[in-house]
Amino acid sequence: MKELAGRLTALDPDAGAAVRVIAYFDRLAESRAGLEALVRGAAVLAGCPARLVDPERRVHVRVETDGTRRDTGTPPDPVWPAVRLSPDGTAMLWLERGGDGAGPAGGVSGLDVASRGGGAAEPGGPAATVLDPRPAQTAAPGQVPTPNTLSVVDAVILERAAGAVRLVLDRTRGRAPADDPALVETLLDATAPEPARLHAARRLGLDPTAPARVLAPLNGRPRVVPAGPEAVPLGAGHAAADAAARPRASQIPSQGQPADVATAQATSRARPGPASAPAPPVPGRHTAPPESRLPAGRLGVGPAVPVLELPRSWAEARAALRFTAEGTPQDPGPRVVHAEELGGIALLADIVEPGTEPPADVRALETAAATTPWLSATLHAVVSTASLRAAAAEINVHHSTLQDRLAHAEHLLGWPIRTPQGRLRLQLALTMRHLARPLSGS
């Protein structure tokens, strides 16, 4: 490698310097160098401070050009050259070049023939040779430098150092949850051997002895998260969820109004039950996932189970997702549904297949809602509140107006909805309406 670098340097100094950078980080990787040693190598080779920031793993390492570690709370300058450790991750490696108070402006494209013993990654490790700064293209003010605005050597330093850092983080700190789709797939595959699933759990940063749960977003990959430490009464989030998911009066078109109205805001911080039914009083408590881990949008939340039972949590999370709604006037209901709160209602998911011919009551609902913009939100308020007066208050209409609407709805649907039997039939019809939809959309 040294001979090749020497020959390339005679032809192209940048190419020769890049080969030496590659060889340097290869030697660090072979010696199993730690994070600080790798960041130190990047700083000494580039001739400017370097820093590693991984918020998920709480890793912050900053090293000066003389090899001294000097962490700081100052956020990175967006104009500094940087590289993400993974395409969809938040961990980044920065070279503090080109911003206020940063290292020498411009890139580097050659090697100083002198070596610096202080740049050694660790005792006995390879000595880092100082890179001689030369002017290079810089990004326009306010822009994040791209590979086109980096010197060749800076780009190679970032690439090789980031690759080595990623391996060390995975080896010593574990992966962040949902970091590797292949590992998640293995973990949720009931046919995979138990040792393989336990290995995947450890690589994903999960404790194999602690319970976890699966989150099923509408149009995203499954996520596996540890079960949160806080215990929440079963059904405790229903009131807040329904309040956020139901459209208000200003968002519900009155009779004869166009249906193009504002969308009601739903909450992903709630723990609602099935899309059309209030939560029954069930004793006991369950462990809920920390709210910050809940993705936005429609979401099914699987039960907390031992790691080896996560395939079951995944199946129940997908079933719970089918009970969710968009939280709009045309599709009122909760955006987040917990499988634990469905109870026996979950059996409906086995009866009504998505994309198949819906039951007659669902067809009646669809036909009536197509010509009556206020129908869906009004009926949802009726089945999810304790009384008709509460339903009228929920959608902010007078009690007599609600009675007129319900009389009209009964005429359209073909059955009474103000009797206990009729209300139960309406609840089932609204729930089956959600279940009959293809999962790809609402």
Side-chain angles (χ1 to χ4, degrees):
M1 184 69 75
K2 291 182 179 179
E3 183 180 355
L4 175 61
R7 292 182 179 181
L8 285 175
T9 301
L11 299 174
D12 185 340
D14 282 352
V19 169
R20 295 189 186 183
V21 169
I22 294 171
Y24 176 78
F25 282 107
D26 283 350
R27 292 196 299 273
L28 283 182
E30 290 172 2
S31 65
R32 300 177 70 84
L35 294 176
E36 184 174 335
L38 292 169
V39 177
R40 179 181 297 114
V44 175
L45 289 173
C48 66
R51 71 169 71 183
L52 168 66
V53 179
D54 187 343
E56 292 182 350
R57 298 180 175 97
R58 299 182 181 180
V59 174
H60 299 269
V61 179
R62 181 181 180 275
V63 179
E64 297 280 0
T65 55
D66 61 0
T68 303
R69 177 165 178 172
R70 187 172 291 112
D71 295 337
T72 176
T74 305
D77 192 321
V79 305
W80 293 343
V83 62
R84 293 188 184 276
L85 300 191
S86 60
D88 56 351
T90 58
M92 298 187 72
L93 180 67
W94 303 79
L95 296 181
E96 299 184 9
R97 189 192 306 286
D100 294 337
V108 291
S109 57
L111 285 170
D112 191 317
V113 295
S115 295
R116 292 180 55 168
E122 55 190 17
T129 49
V130 182
L131 298 182
D132 188 18
R134 294 187 189 176
Q137 291 178 321
T138 57
Q143 291 183 344
V144 176
T146 65
N148 291 331
T149 63
L150 289 176
S151 74
V152 172
V153 180
D154 271 357
V156 174
I157 290 172
L158 284 173
E159 178 184 353
R160 303 300 291 189
V165 165
R166 182 170 55 250
L167 292 175
V168 173
L169 284 172
D170 290 348
R171 187 178 75 239
T172 61
R173 310 287 176 109
R175 292 184 183 270
D179 178 56
D180 191 323
L183 290 175
V184 173
E185 180 180 341
T186 301
L187 186 59
L188 303 183
D189 183 0
T191 65
E194 289 188 4
R197 282 188 277 152
L198 290 173
H199 174 73
R202 294 187 185 95
R203 292 297 303 272
L204 289 166
L206 297 171
D207 181 356
T209 64
R213 69 175 76 237
V214 184
L215 310 181
L218 176 61
N219 292 313
R221 297 196 302 259
R223 291 179 55 184
V224 182
V225 297
E230 72 276 17
V232 179
L234 194 60
H238 283 280
D242 287 343
R246 292 191 198 109
R248 300 301 177 188
S250 61
Q251 298 167 318
I252 303 174
S254 59
Q255 196 164 4
Q257 236 182 340
D260 185 17
V261 294
T263 300
Q265 295 297 318
T267 178
S268 64
R269 296 174 59 84
R271 298 175 179 80
S276 59
V282 180
R285 304 171 76 85
H286 77 279
T287 304
E291 308 300 348
S292 61
R293 292 197 179 106
L294 294 182
R298 290 172 54 191
L299 181 73
V301 181
V305 297
V307 164
L308 289 178
E309 295 182 27
L310 281 172
R312 174 171 66 86
S313 182
W314 168 226
E316 295 187 27
R318 286 181 294 170
L321 175 63
R322 296 177 56 199
F323 288 87
T324 62
E326 292 292 340
T328 65
Q330 288 70 44
D331 186 25
R335 289 185 178 180
V336 181
V337 171
H338 284 236
E340 292 143 307
E341 298 180 348
L342 288 172
I345 298 175
L347 296 175
L348 288 175
D350 298 328
I351 300 173
V352 182
E353 295 292 335
T356 60
E357 180 71 12
D361 285 355
V362 175
R363 295 198 299 270
L365 271 175
E366 295 287 3
T367 302
T371 58
T372 313
W374 50 261
L375 185 77
S376 294
T378 300
L379 296 183
H380 176 72
V382 168
V383 302
S384 58
T385 54
S387 66
L388 293 183
R389 291 193 178 276
E394 178 63 32
I395 57 177
N396 199 21
V397 299
H398 194 272
H399 183 261
S400 62
T401 302
L402 177 62
Q403 292 287 357
D404 292 340
R405 287 187 176 187
L406 295 183
H408 184 58
E410 289 174 340
H411 173 73
L412 293 176
L413 295 176
W415 76 82
I417 57 178
R418 287 172 283 186
T419 64
Q421 296 84 357
R423 178 168 167 163
L424 174 60
R425 183 176 177 181
L426 178 60
Q427 284 182 312
L428 291 175
L430 289 171
T431 301
M432 291 188 294
R433 184 187 184 192
H434 290 135
L435 294 174
R437 301 175 302 187
L439 273 180
S440 57
S442 59

